Amino acid sequence: MAKIVVIGSTNTDLVIKTERIPEPGETVIGGSFMMTAGGKGANQAVAAARMDGDVIFVTKVGDDMFGEVSQRHFADENLPAEYIFTEHGSPSGVALITVDAKGENCIVVAPGANDQLSRSDIDAVRSQIEAAEFLLLQLEIPMEVVEYAADVAHRAGTKVILNPAPAATLSRELISKLYLITPNRTECQLLTGRAINDEKSAEAAAAALLAVGAQNAIVTLGSRGALVASEGRYTLVAAQHVVAVDTTAAGDVFNGALCVALSEGRSLVEAATFATKASAISVTRMGAQSSIPYRIEIK
């Protein structure tokens, strides 16, 4: 199995389940509360680890209670401690999440130590990136660090997978270094300027991503599934039909599982099929990392 390096954010998620997400200026009396491990990078790394991937996670936490809890949690998930950096004098990342009765969510993030991840931290793990088959990135860390890590990997022949979330504009130079880009519908619309209403419009948007340099693209479409664009072919991988309780981290679980399947030599379509199963299980449970399934559950 090929090695995977995940570089990204670590947050502690403070989650309230409520009937509906409040309008601006409105107070809504919610229901249950939970505190759970989150952050897009951490979610994807833990998902990859639970799918039995050979994975290391590079992140930064603060020297506070949340950082200490995160360190212990990563040890429990068998993610090596030497790549979990601590930023002294900085709080750890925190996300405030509201989940409605349909499982949809609204999230506000205070990045904390995630914003302190630096090029020097990437240099400290350069040998690991260069020895890996895949580098998985997201956008909850500084863009200059994402671009620098992608450049290090690209120069070494490591395949770069970017989940462009939260939605942001990307340079053509960064996109040209990507083996695979995995936006959801909203992110893809921002990147391409093309509305996605159906499979054909998703194909056109995916083609636009390939036209600016990405080698492959997978556009995740929620309950419609995932569109795989590769070598001039477009394949819609159907979603699994489940009753959603909380969609938090569904995309992260998809990306972590996808990366593991690719590291095992599966095709993009086969990997996306595997990933949709992992993602489907996650939305039937509350929380981010608390919802991530283990490999045996996919079987």
Side-chain angles (χ1 to χ4, degrees):
M1 180 183 296
K3 179 186 288 187
I4 301 165
V5 175
V6 182
I7 302 177
S9 58
T10 294
N11 293 324
T12 298
D13 292 348
L14 308 178
V15 185
I16 293 180
K17 179 84 173 178
T18 185
E19 186 64 25
R20 61 182 177 84
I21 295 170
E23 299 293 333
E26 181 185 18
T27 298
V28 172
I29 302 300
S32 60
F33 168 79
M34 68 182 297
M35 184 172 75
T36 184
K40 289 187 177 298
N43 295 343
Q44 293 180 17
V46 169
R50 292 186 184 180
M51 294 297 124
D52 297 335
D54 180 6
V55 57
I56 68 168
F57 179 40
V58 181
T59 191
K60 183 165 278 188
V61 299
D63 58 351
D64 55 11
M65 175 190 72
F66 293 139
E68 292 174 2
V69 171
S70 295
Q71 293 271 15
R72 293 196 296 271
H73 171 63
F74 293 139
D76 291 340
E77 298 290 348
N78 297 313
L79 294 169
E82 59 263 40
Y83 308 111
I84 314 297
F85 302 120
T86 299
E87 183 71 15
H88 298 287
S90 174
S92 297
V94 173
L96 305 180
I97 303 175
T98 304
V99 181
D100 70 14
K102 296 179 180 179
E104 296 298 329
N105 60 54
C106 179
I107 305 173
V108 179
V109 177
N114 294 308
D115 269 352
Q116 304 304 313
L117 197 66
S118 66
R119 290 166 62 111
S120 62
D121 296 321
I122 302 305
D123 287 335
V125 298
R126 178 184 287 265
S127 62
Q128 295 295 328
I129 295 172
E130 293 174 339
E133 181 73 16
F134 293 97
L135 171 65
L136 178 57
L137 297 161
Q138 331 72 34
L139 302 178
E140 282 187 336
I141 56 176
M143 183 65 78
E144 67 171 321
V145 176
V146 171
E147 293 173 338
Y148 184 61
D151 184 64
V152 169
H154 183 69
R155 290 175 184 273
T158 300
K159 295 175 181 175
V160 183
I161 299 175
L162 175 64
N163 176 223
T169 56
L170 304 175
S171 69
R172 182 181 289 262
E173 182 180 5
L174 174 59
I175 294 174
S176 70
K177 295 172 182 174
L178 301 180
Y179 166 73
L180 174 63
I181 187 168
T182 63
N184 64 18
R185 186 179 67 175
T186 301
E187 293 149 4
C188 193
Q189 289 177 162
L190 173 66
L191 290 170
T192 65
R194 295 173 178 267
I196 298 177
N197 304 306
D198 52 24
E199 186 177 344
K200 286 297 182 184
S201 56
E203 288 181 7
L209 291 173
L210 302 186
V212 293
Q215 210 173 326
N216 304 284
I218 298 179
V219 182
T220 56
L221 302 170
S223 61
R224 295 182 181 179
L227 180 74
V228 180
S230 178
E231 298 179 343
R233 296 181 180 180
Y234 300 89
T235 305
L236 183 65
V237 175
Q240 306 292 313
H241 294 289
V242 296
V243 177
V245 172
D246 180 6
T247 57
T248 303
D252 298 329
V253 173
F254 180 92
N255 278 275
L258 177 81
C259 209
V260 171
L262 290 173
S263 77
E264 295 172 344
R266 302 196 199 191
S267 70
L268 284 169
V269 172
E270 290 170 337
T273 301
F274 177 79
T276 58
K277 295 177 181 180
S279 182
I281 293 173
S282 75
V283 302
T284 66
R285 302 168 177 169
M286 284 291 295
Q289 286 164 51
S290 56
S291 75
I292 298 173
Y294 290 85
R295 181 67 174 254
I296 194 169
E297 296 179 80
I298 310 302
K299 297 178 181 179

